[in-house]
């Protein structure tokens, strides 16, 4: 495998390893050996070390002195903590859109996402459905205009994707419900109803958390 610009080499390595962790190819608590990654990808050991630091910041690996990097483990406390925090971050983004949209075309990106979610539902394409669910927050970034919020969400995104990937099969049954929740969220945003936004997003995060925990218990 050969990596090239525009992303930095370490970012590309981090993305490659993150995808393997998210898909479960690298198991919880499994050690990631720098030398093996270096040889497999034909990259420098320094680039691999930098990539692992990126993954540590994104909560996919833990680096311990004299023990190296290990894939983080998923447990109930970690999942609930992540879901609760992401819920509050989603609410901040939802509020930002509600408070800052001015004309109807400002909401076009969200309507397009809604259409893509509907197509994914019709095709029962859960992977695309989950990816488009995360597209919602990225469409909200310009309204928030907060680089710290954006950075925090992006750093937590891989960990949340990993949790959702674990629950892919279980989430198939929830796709209709999520579309209904998303429609309610758009209505609340249009009405600039911040209380309703909090209610809808809290419900979504709670239900998502329970799906992940159910998948974790049956794994």
């Amino acid at each position: 495998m050969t990596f090239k610009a525009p992303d930095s080499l370490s970012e590309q390595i981090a993305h490659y390893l993150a995808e393997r962790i998210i898909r479960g190819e690298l198991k919880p608590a499994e050690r990631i050996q720098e030398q093996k990654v270096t040889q497999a990808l034909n990259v420098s050991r320094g680039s691999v070390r930098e990539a692992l630091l990126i993954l540590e910041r994104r909560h996919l690996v833990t680096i311990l002195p004299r023990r190296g990097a290990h894939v983080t483990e998923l447990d109930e406390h970690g999942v609930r903590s992540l879901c609760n925090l992401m819920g509050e971050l989603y609410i901040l983004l939802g509020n930002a859109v509600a408070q800052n949209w001015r004309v109807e075309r400002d909401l076009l990106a969200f309507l397009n996402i809604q259409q893509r979610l509907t197509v994914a539902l019709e095709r029962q394409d859960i992977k695309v459905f989950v990816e488009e669910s995360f597209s919602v927050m990225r469409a909200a970034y310009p309204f928030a205009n907060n680089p710290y919020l954006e950075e925090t969400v992006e750093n937590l995104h891989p960990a949340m994707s990993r949790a959702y990937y674990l629950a892919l099969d279980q989430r198939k049954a929830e796709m209709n419900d999520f579309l209904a929740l998303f429609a309610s969220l758009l209505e609340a945003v249009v009405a600039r109803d911040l209380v309703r936004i909090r209610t809808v997003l809290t419900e979504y995060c709670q239900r998502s958390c329970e799906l992940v925990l159910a998948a974790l218990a049956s794994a």
Side-chain angles (χ1 to χ4, degrees):
M1 182 172 293
T2 302
F3 295 109
K4 297 180 180 179
D7 290 338
S8 71
L9 181 58
S10 56
E11 279 282 359
Q12 292 178 72
I13 298 169
H15 178 75
Y16 168 77
L17 293 173
E19 286 297 306
R20 294 194 64 198
I21 294 171
I22 289 169
R23 293 194 301 264
E25 295 172 11
L26 292 172
K27 305 298 183 183
E30 182 175 343
R31 184 181 178 188
I32 302 177
Q33 298 185 34
E34 291 180 8
Q35 186 174 358
K36 285 187 176 181
V37 176
T38 297
Q39 293 173 345
L41 303 183
N42 192 28
V43 293
S44 71
R45 197 156 185 170
S47 295
V48 174
R49 287 176 179 169
E50 187 175 347
L52 292 174
L53 289 173
I54 293 171
L55 293 178
E56 184 179 41
R57 188 166 66 247
R58 293 174 183 168
H59 306 278
L60 293 181
V61 306
T62 301
I63 301 175
L64 300 173
R66 297 182 296 278
R67 293 182 58 192
H70 293 74
V71 178
T72 54
E73 298 189 58
L74 291 174
D75 57 25
E76 181 176 354
H77 175 71
V79 170
R80 290 195 184 279
S81 297
L82 178 60
C83 288
N84 289 340
L85 177 57
M86 290 299 292
E88 292 301 318
L89 297 174
Y90 291 158
I91 290 167
L92 286 173
L93 289 170
N95 288 348
V97 179
Q99 292 169 325
N100 293 311
W101 75 270
R102 293 292 176 262
V103 294
E104 288 187 6
R105 68 171 177 270
D106 290 343
L107 302 175
L108 184 60
F110 302 101
L111 296 174
N112 289 337
I113 292 170
Q114 188 177 36
Q115 292 178 345
R116 295 196 296 270
L117 286 167
T118 301
V119 171
L121 170 63
E122 292 170 351
R123 296 176 177 174
Q124 286 291 288
D125 191 336
I126 187 65
K127 292 174 70 175
V128 170
F129 195 88
V130 171
E131 290 170 2
E132 290 298 341
S133 300
F134 282 115
S135 295
V136 176
M137 65 185 184
R138 293 196 170 109
Y141 288 159
F143 296 91
N145 191 26
N146 186 330
Y148 302 105
L149 174 59
E150 182 175 340
E151 181 182 9
T152 301
V153 174
E154 285 298 316
N155 279 335
L156 291 173
H157 177 205
M160 203 68 183
S161 294
R162 179 190 181 193
Y164 280 174
Y165 199 97
L166 178 67
L168 284 182
D169 288 336
Q170 287 85 344
R171 291 183 69 83
K172 286 182 180 177
E174 300 287 321
M175 292 167 75
N176 271 316
D177 291 340
F178 176 78
L179 266 179
L181 281 172
F182 188 56
S184 296
L185 178 60
L186 284 179
E187 291 174 3
V189 167
V190 170
R192 306 189 198 277
D193 187 341
L194 304 190
V195 174
R196 180 61 179 159
I197 288 171
R198 173 170 286 276
T199 299
V200 170
L201 287 172
T202 298
E203 179 182 351
Y204 165 67
C205 287
Q206 288 175 345
R207 293 173 69 174
S208 295
C209 184
E210 295 306 320
L211 281 176
V212 175
L213 291 175
L216 193 60
S218 63

